[in-house]
């Protein structure tokens, strides 16, 4: 009798082991089967989400039959539980194990935010806070408070202090994250240009070079003209001639600018109006990109002291006032019907 009982017990164990192995193998094979999706699905994993919570979510979505099975499976493979928070794009044909591996690697969706050349700080911060993918932590901060958080210097004006570039980020990044990178990138690039500069340039500091770059940025969007315009302004500074550039007038007008400037606007003093001040304005007037900074440090040699918009986005450069006045009569006082002071949109011709 004891022998029969032992055999029955042994048989029961064997059956249980076989059944367990079959169920385990069945569920494990399920982990490597393609997910039941026909298009890319975006999955957000919040900070603090546990592995088992995520598995229950996948069970509810029909991606997994038994979330409890993953509790046992993860004990055998603890390395699978190191999932990272973020936003993931799950493509058709991927298996659940592929997804878990993706989340262990932190292969999240990379979003992009672009600081546009020539935009003011106000325009940039408005666009930044309009992006729902970015956490706005600076909305209630003054400019001084913002700059203290970003740079540690509350007295540094924010205008022009963030490199105009495209920045990648993951959903949930803060405005501070992006602005610190943009400021750090500006400082790094500016320092490299300053260290290799021609010391005859009329800049007393890297900050003055950024001021010049911002004026260049606002004067033209034509890459080939940046160094030409830099040359005009550098020559003017060297001979003590006023810059007399309209974008500085517009910036000084602030909200009172409604699309055009008058002779009275040119004569009305503001800290930025280069028709009334003898040097560079006190701060930049916009955000700048690398090209404008390079142009500020590499002005094109020549004798031009004037330029005027042709109306197609480019400029006519003149060495004498007489030539300049003739160009003004030609391009400004007899404007063509499709006149524009900035370049046409990409892909179009004037």
């Amino acid at each position: 009798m004891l022998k029969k009982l032992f055999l029955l017990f042994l048989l029961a164990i064997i059956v249980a082991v076989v059944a367990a192995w079959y169920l385990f193998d069945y569920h494990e094979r399920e982990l490597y089967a393609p997910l039941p999706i026909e298009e890319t699905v975006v999955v957000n994993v919040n900070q603090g989400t546990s592995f088992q919570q995520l598995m229950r979510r996948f069970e509810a979505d029909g991606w997994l039959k038994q979330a409890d099975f993953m509790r046992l499976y993860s004990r055998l493979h603890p390395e699978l539980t190191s999932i990272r928070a973020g936003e993931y794009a799950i493509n058709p044909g991927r298996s659940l194990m592929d997804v878990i591996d993706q989340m262990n690697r932190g292969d999240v969706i990379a979003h992009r935010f672009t600081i546009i050349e020539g935009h003011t700080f106000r325009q940039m911060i408005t666009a930044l806070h309009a992006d729902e993918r970015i956490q706005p932590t600076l909305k209630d901060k003054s400019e001084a408070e913002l700059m203290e958080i970003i740079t540690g210097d509350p007295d540094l004006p924010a205008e022009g202090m963030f490199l105009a570039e495209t920045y990648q980020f993951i959903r949930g990044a803060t405005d501070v994250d992006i602005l610190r990178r943009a400021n750090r990138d500006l400082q790094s690039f500016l320092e490299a240009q300053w260290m290799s500069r021609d010391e005859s340039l009329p800049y007393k500091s890297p900050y003055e070079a950024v001021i010049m770059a911002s004026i260049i940025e606002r004067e033209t969007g034509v890459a080939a003209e940046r160094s030409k315009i830099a040359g005009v302004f550098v020559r003017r500074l060297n001979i003590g001639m006023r810059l007399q550039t309209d974008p500085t007038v517009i910036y000084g007008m602030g909200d009172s600018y409604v699309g055009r400037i008058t002779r009275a606007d040119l004569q009305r003093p503001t800290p930025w109006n280069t028709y009334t001040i003898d040097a560079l304005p006190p701060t930049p007037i916009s955000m700048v990109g690398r090209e404008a900074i390079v142009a500020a440090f590499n002005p094109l040699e020549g004798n031009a002291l004037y330029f005027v918009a042709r109306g197609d986005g480019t400029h006519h450069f003149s060495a004498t006032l007489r030539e300049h006045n003739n160009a003004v009569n030609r391009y400004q006082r007899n404007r063509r019907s499709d006149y524009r002071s900035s370049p046409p949109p990409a892909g179009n011709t004037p």
Side-chain angles (χ1 to χ4, degrees), residues 249-263:
V249 178
I250 293 170
Y251 187 83
M253 291 173 67
D255 292 336
S256 66
Y257 176 70
V258 291
R260 60 177 302 219
I261 53 178
T262 65
R263 184 176 297 276

Side-chain angles (χ1 to χ4, degrees), residues 84-89 102 105-111 169-171:
R84 303 184 187 183
E87 187 180 29
Y88 296 88
Q102 181 179 350
R105 297 195 316 271
D107 185 10
V108 297
I109 297 173
H111 297 287
F169 66 94
I170 64 172
R171 179 180 287 274

Side-chain angles (χ1 to χ4, degrees), residues 14 36 58 62 90 95 109 130 146 148 163 179 185 196 223 230 243 269 280 332:
I14 293 172
F58 290 159
I90 311 303
S95 71
I109 297 173
L146 181 148
E148 183 171 21
L163 186 66
L179 292 180
D185 287 357
S196 61
L243 297 184
L280 288 166
Q332 295 285 314

